[in-house]
Amino acid sequence: MSGQGPRLRVRLLGTGPSQGVPGLHDGWGACDPSHPRNRRLRTSALIESPAGTRLLVDAGPDVREQLLAAGTAEIHGLFITHAHADHIAGLDDMRAVNRATGRALPLFADAPTLAELRRRFDYCFLPPTRGFYRPAFEVHELAPGDALTLPGLTGRVFAQDHRVMRSLGLRIGGFAYSTDVAAFPPESEPFLAGLDTWVVGCFQPGPHPVHADLATVLAWRDRYRPRRMVLTHMGNQLDEARLRASLPEGVEPGFDGMELEAAG
């Protein structure tokens, strides 16, 4: 699968936890501050189809800086995995995307997430203004198993257990993206079979109440056997060099700005 067919391009815009690395209150933790890959913005990704369609996954508080680093505001859709602040606090910056594309931005999320967005960012869901002085969205409500469809890009979303709420994962061809997950319900397991590349959240070395730890992620690797697994949403107890040296073949830490290709 890995060498055939059209290829998705994926850029990891951020690979850090809700507080980033270094954190304001806990600093670098076990991470070496001299290693540039240990500096992590909040978790987000940009997926580009072979047709050039770009899907932004989450819009956290670092999204402006992340899109500047990626060199684009030409985004054709926004997928929100869940409504925690580190995934939605940059929603207002989507007005710059509106200006770049000249249209409302298709926004994909489940019903609980959309309800929270409307509560916290009510002004973003008013009719568009001339010049997009506030963001404008074209809302698409999704449930697990539904298709996420844009011109030139089609995927399906699946349920993830984040303990305090449900989050959504995304599969496009042989690629899957799973952040902020502690377990998968049985109905989501078919989405994890036969993967070429899987970007998956791994918060810390030991157990955590709402995030997968390293042992859990490696057990998923043994169960679902993706060709390549890339870790994201990593906290300050996961040092890049030490983690990379300890991981089995086919598993690696992601880093901000990392670019991947995956079977689409």
Side-chain angles (χ1 to χ4, degrees):
M1 175 185 292
S2 61
Q4 299 177 359
R7 311 291 290 175
L8 291 172
R9 295 179 60 192
V10 180
R11 181 183 175 100
L12 302 185
L13 300 177
T15 55
S18 59
Q19 65 269 37
V21 179
L24 284 174
H25 75 290
D26 56 1
W28 291 98
C31 292
D32 178 359
S34 70
H35 197 311
R37 291 182 180 177
N38 280 328
R39 183 176 290 274
R40 300 173 183 138
L41 299 177
R42 270 57 76 96
T43 291
S44 179
L46 186 62
I47 301 171
E48 183 173 342
S49 76
T53 302
R54 296 191 188 99
L55 177 68
L56 176 63
V57 182
D58 290 329
D62 301 317
V63 70
R64 173 184 169 275
E65 182 178 349
Q66 291 167 334
L67 291 179
L68 284 171
T72 186
E74 292 279 346
I75 307 300
H76 306 106
L78 171 62
F79 169 53
I80 300 292
T81 59
H82 66 297
H84 279 159
D86 53 318
H87 298 264
I88 65 172
L91 208 66
D92 189 74
D93 282 319
M94 294 301 99
R95 59 183 172 157
V97 173
N98 295 139
R99 292 169 181 168
T101 61
R103 56 159 295 176
L105 178 65
L107 169 63
F108 301 88
D110 65 11
T113 298
L114 287 171
E116 184 67 7
L117 294 180
R118 291 180 186 277
R119 185 182 72 82
R120 295 177 64 178
F121 300 94
D122 58 331
Y123 63 94
C124 293
F125 297 90
L126 298 173
T129 60
R130 183 186 298 272
F132 297 108
Y133 292 104
R134 56 177 178 255
F137 296 110
E138 174 190 291
V139 175
H140 299 265
E141 182 180 316
L142 297 177
D146 285 351
L148 185 160
T149 303
L150 290 166
L153 187 150
T154 299
R156 302 192 82 84
V157 299
F158 54 92
Q160 303 179 147
D161 185 356
H162 192 15
R163 301 306 190 200
V164 291
M165 63 171 64
R166 182 178 70 188
S167 63
L168 288 180
L170 175 65
R171 178 158 183 172
I172 304 172
F175 172 78
Y177 186 90
S178 297
T179 189
D180 291 69
V181 57
F184 295 99
E187 63 270 21
S188 295
E189 292 199 343
F191 293 93
L192 305 175
L195 287 171
D196 176 68
T197 302
W198 188 13
V199 175
V200 60
C202 180
F203 182 60
Q204 63 186 28
H208 188 273
V210 303
H211 289 282
D213 63 5
L214 186 55
T216 299
V217 169
L218 293 179
W220 290 340
R221 182 252 189 179
D222 293 341
R223 179 179 179 89
Y224 301 114
R225 298 197 173 277
R227 181 188 68 87
R228 185 184 190 188
M229 177 179 268
V230 180
L231 308 184
T232 192
H233 206 284
M234 294 174 289
N236 68 1
Q237 297 305 305
L238 292 174
D239 175 76
E240 153 73 30
R242 289 194 296 272
L243 179 60
R244 186 175 293 274
S246 73
L247 291 172
E249 183 178 358
V251 186
E252 62 193 291
F255 55 88
D256 293 16
M258 185 180 194
E259 295 191 351
L260 311 169
E261 284 195 356

